């Protein structure tokens, strides 16, 4: 039987997930190899999927410790991700260069080059829905991985929308238009549709680990966002776009994550996907800013220390985790985000049906 890793995203908190991943290997005996491990993720979680494909494949693998953690992740600073401009969105060319250099070193160009079955999510502005691109589907294998990673990590409004290329003769209709962060519509939106397609051909997983960084928004985030978004004279951003961005923050918040867990738990009671489903999220005394990328090694070490002090909290069974909020009502996501994005598209002259 196989294990699955669901890697969520939270921008600069990427190293928190890396720490959880490392401790699952050490404490839970997680075996990571292309034959027995399925990967799914979005935003910074998808960036880690790219690194796992590069470092845990069977042939010509890079070093997880040296090539990824020491030489890339821990050396990253905010200026290696984006450069601020006079107006939003920021310039993300530094991020594209950093990822491009790593993928070239790993000799990974398309999804076909990934040995692990990998699902990477992005939000389509044209279709107003979340798409799951994967080398599990034959028509997706020629998708440019760098473009896909740029798209899934494109924070709405703050980072520029992205286009995704595919290196084949036939045009993939779902790649039309622009894309944004895979968490824009909520964590792992449309999991029921895509997982049903996977399980038509495969048995349930042995273990499914849902890995997330700590999700509470820090005081530093509020101050930083107020500085970035408060002045229309300094940044050319309209009120509707500001609302979309705040909606995105709601989707990646603790409440947004819990909404996904509740929906997923409800669905898995009727559809068996794994023998065991675990929720892995650190609970630090104070969270790290989600747009400050200067603290990767510090975040990593903080989570490592937290796990060592709380090994019983590394992986919580989903039944136990959900007891914290099982009586809370489900948040209605679909209509809210579709209305907000419809207004955005109409405001820039795009017709939407």
């Amino acid at each position: 039987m196989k294990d699955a890793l669901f890697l969520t995203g939270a921008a600069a908190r990427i190293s928190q997930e890396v720490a959880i991943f490392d401790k699952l290997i050490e404490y839970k005996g997680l075996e990571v190899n292309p034959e027995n491990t399925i990967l799914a993720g979005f935003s910074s979680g998808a960036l880690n999927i790219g690194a796992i494909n590069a470092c845990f494949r069977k042939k010509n693998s890079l070093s997880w410790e040296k090539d990824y953690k020491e030489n890339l992740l821990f050396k990253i600073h905010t200026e290696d991700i984006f450069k601020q401009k006079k107006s939003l969105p920021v310039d993300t060319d530094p991020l594209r260069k950093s990822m491009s250099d790593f993928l070239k070193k790993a000799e990974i160009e398309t999804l076909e080059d990934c040995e692990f079955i990998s699902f990477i999510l992005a939000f389509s502005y044209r279709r107003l829905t979340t798409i799951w691109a994967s080398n599990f589907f034959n028509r997706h294998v020629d998708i440019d991985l760098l473009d896909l990673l740029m798209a899934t990590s494109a924070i709405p409004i703050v980072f520029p929308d992205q286009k995704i290329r595919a290196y084949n003769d036939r045009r993939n209709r779902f790649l039309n238009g622009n894309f944004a962060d895979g968490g824009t519509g909520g964590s792992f939106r449309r999991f029921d549709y895509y997982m049903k397609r996977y399980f038509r051909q495969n048995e349930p997983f042995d273990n499914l680990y849902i890995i997330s960084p700590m999700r509470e928004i820090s005081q530093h985030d509020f101050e930083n966002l107020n500085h970035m978004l408060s002045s229309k004279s300094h940044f050319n951003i309209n009120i509707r776009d500001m609302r979309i961005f705040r909606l995105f923050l709601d989707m990646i918040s603790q409440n947004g994550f819990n909404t996904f867990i509740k929906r997923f738990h409800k669905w898995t009671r009727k559809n068996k996907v794994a023998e065991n489903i675990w929720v892995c999220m650190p609970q630090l005394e104070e969270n790290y800013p989600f747009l400050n990328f200067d603290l990767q090694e510090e975040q990593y070490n903080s989570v490592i220390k937290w796990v060592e002090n709380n090994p019983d909290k590394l992986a919580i069974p989903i039944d136990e985790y959900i007891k914290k909020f099982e009586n809370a009502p489900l948040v209605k996501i679909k209509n809210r985000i579709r209305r907000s994005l419809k207004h955005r598209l109409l405001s820039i002259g795009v017709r939407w049906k």
Side-chain angles (χ1 to χ4, degrees):
M1 300 184 80
K2 299 180 179 180
D3 290 337
L5 303 179
F6 277 21
L7 296 133
T8 68
R13 297 166 187 161
I14 182 173
S15 60
Q16 293 187 33
E17 288 193 336
V18 173
I20 292 291
F21 174 78
D22 285 349
K23 284 302 183 183
L24 286 174
I25 294 174
E26 179 182 356
Y27 284 15
K28 296 294 184 179
L30 174 66
E31 296 184 7
V32 184
N33 60 72
E35 289 81 14
N36 298 311
T37 311
I38 308 300
L39 307 173
F42 59 89
S43 193
S44 54
L47 304 186
N48 282 328
I49 287 178
I52 291 171
N53 270 285
C55 299
F56 288 88
R57 63 192 180 193
K58 292 296 185 180
K59 297 181 180 179
N60 302 319
S61 60
L62 301 184
S63 167
W64 178 253
E65 295 293 327
K66 185 175 181 180
D67 292 317
Y68 183 51
K69 289 162 61 177
E70 294 180 17
N71 293 340
L72 179 60
L73 185 63
F74 294 162
K75 290 184 177 181
I76 283 177
H77 295 283
T78 301
E79 58 265 27
D80 299 315
I81 304 300
F82 66 86
K83 293 180 180 179
Q84 196 124 341
K85 300 191 299 183
K86 292 183 179 180
S87 62
L88 292 178
V90 299
D91 179 2
T92 55
D93 283 347
L95 173 60
R96 178 175 282 273
K97 183 181 186 307
S98 296
M99 290 197 300
S100 176
D101 291 344
F102 181 79
L103 293 176
K104 284 181 180 178
K105 186 175 183 179
E107 298 181 341
I108 297 177
E109 184 175 16
T110 66
L111 277 175
E112 188 174 24
D113 299 324
C114 297
E115 291 188 12
F116 290 78
I117 294 179
S118 304
F119 295 85
I120 296 177
L121 286 62
F123 187 85
S124 169
Y125 279 123
R126 181 176 181 270
R127 298 173 61 186
L128 297 182
T129 191
T130 302
I131 62 109
W132 292 47
S134 176
N135 52 2
F136 179 71
F137 306 122
N138 289 333
R139 65 192 181 98
H140 293 183
V141 295
D142 291 324
I143 290 177
D144 184 278
L145 184 60
L146 178 59
D147 284 353
L148 183 58
L149 294 179
M150 287 296 296
T152 190
S153 57
I155 301 172
I157 313 307
V158 177
F159 285 11
D161 304 342
Q162 299 290 324
K163 292 187 178 296
I164 303 174
R165 294 170 294 170
Y167 296 100
N168 56 22
D169 293 332
R170 67 178 186 274
R171 189 178 183 87
N172 281 303
R173 290 178 56 195
F174 76 96
L175 293 183
N176 292 341
N178 290 358
F179 294 84
D181 191 294
T184 301
S187 295
F188 294 102
R189 290 289 291 170
R190 303 181 73 201
F191 62 80
D192 49 351
Y193 172 74
Y194 285 100
M195 293 191 73
K196 280 183 178 178
R197 294 181 65 182
Y198 174 81
F199 286 116
R200 287 172 189 164
Q201 304 176 35
N202 296 276
E203 296 294 322
F205 305 123
D206 187 7
N207 294 287
L208 193 161
Y209 297 97
I210 302 171
I211 302 175
S212 171
M214 188 172 170
R215 309 198 76 83
E216 283 81 359
I217 303 296
S218 70
Q219 183 60 35
H220 185 279
D221 286 328
F222 284 119
E223 294 171 358
N224 194 25
L225 293 174
N226 284 336
H227 173 71
M228 294 181 71
L229 298 175
S230 60
S231 175
K232 286 183 62 179
S233 61
H234 188 54
F235 292 109
N236 183 25
I237 179 171
N238 61 48
I239 294 175
R240 289 195 182 104
D241 281 356
M242 291 175 69
R243 287 175 178 169
I244 292 171
F245 178 65
R246 292 191 173 105
L247 178 61
F248 166 78
L249 292 181
D250 183 47
M251 295 300 100
I252 68 167
S253 69
Q254 185 67 52
N255 288 336
F257 179 78
N258 288 347
T259 295
F260 155 65
I261 292 294
K262 189 166 186 178
R263 291 178 185 275
F264 189 68
H265 180 257
K266 181 179 180 181
W267 186 73
T268 56
R269 284 185 295 183
K270 297 180 180 179
N271 303 270
K272 186 172 183 178
V273 300
E275 293 293 331
N276 305 288
I277 302 176
W278 310 88
V279 180
C280 309
M281 177 189 293
Q283 298 298 321
L284 308 174
E285 291 184 4
E286 184 176 353
N287 207 1
Y288 287 85
F290 87 106
L291 284 176
N292 182 350
F293 290 83
D294 297 338
L295 308 170
Q296 296 305 315
E297 189 168 10
E298 179 181 328
Q299 289 191 69
Y300 177 88
N301 290 331
S302 294
V303 173
I304 292 292
K305 183 178 180 181
W306 176 83
V307 173
E308 291 173 346
N309 292 333
N310 304 274
D312 57 317
K313 297 181 180 179
L314 169 61
I316 306 296
I318 192 170
D319 290 337
E320 179 181 334
Y321 180 88
I322 207 168
K323 289 178 181 178
K324 302 176 184 178
F325 56 91
E326 60 184 349
N327 294 324
L330 285 171
V331 177
K332 299 293 184 182
I333 296 175
K334 184 175 181 179
N335 291 337
R336 286 178 60 200
I337 195 163
R338 286 175 71 88
R339 282 198 302 267
S340 297
L341 289 171
K342 178 182 177 181
H343 286 312
R344 180 189 183 203
L345 294 174
L346 290 173
S347 70
I348 59 176
V350 178
R351 297 188 65 183
W352 178 81
K353 296 181 180 180

